[in-house]
Amino acid sequence: MRADAEYKLRCFNGDTSELATVGIDVKSYLVKWAAPKRNVDGSPANSIAGYKVYWNNAPRDFKQSATIRPETNTEWEPDLPSGTWYVAVSAFDEAGNESELSKPLTLTLP
């Protein structure tokens, strides 16, 4: 199974926001994404502290999440029961500011 996509994440800190592009790969039940190196404005994406992976059995209203740290850890292996799951990823900084969620990806577990 393979579903690759690229999404833009926007992080907010007061009046400042930064937009970064993150690619997400789903391979063999391991959700992987590439940590952004630069924000859309060209500045270094050095304020990312980690990621949150959200999942649900519906493509919205994500009720469960896992925090992934450090910011260099860009994969998550789901421990979910069989079925179809929808997974989305966000980035966050040390102040707790969190980006918008990526579009959900579909993950079907046997």
Side-chain angles (χ1 to χ4, degrees):
M1 180 177 105
R2 182 179 170 99
D4 295 347
E6 184 172 278
Y7 298 99
K8 293 186 179 177
L9 302 175
R10 184 175 297 275
C11 295
F12 297 93
N13 184 4
D15 294 332
T16 305
S17 70
E18 296 180 347
L19 185 64
T21 301
V22 175
I24 299 173
D25 296 329
V26 177
K27 298 178 184 174
S28 303
Y29 314 119
L30 182 65
V31 178
K32 296 177 79 173
W33 57 93
K37 292 182 173 52
R38 304 197 86 57
N39 296 308
V40 170
D41 68 1
S43 63
N46 55 11
S47 62
I48 295 173
Y51 306 92
K52 286 191 179 179
V53 177
Y54 292 86
W55 66 92
N56 194 7
N57 55 3
R60 56 189 171 282
D61 300 325
F62 292 101
K63 302 194 185 304
Q64 300 177 48
S65 68
T67 300
I68 309 299
R69 284 187 180 250
E71 75 283 356
T72 56
N73 185 4
T74 56
E75 62 184 44
W76 172 71
E77 187 171 2
D79 184 17
L80 300 171
S82 296
T84 299
W85 297 91
Y86 298 89
V87 178
V89 178
S90 69
F92 63 89
D93 64 16
E94 288 295 342
N97 299 304
E98 187 173 348
S99 72
E100 295 177 6
L101 289 175
S102 66
K103 291 183 181 178
L105 299 173
T106 305
L107 179 64
T108 303
L109 301 175

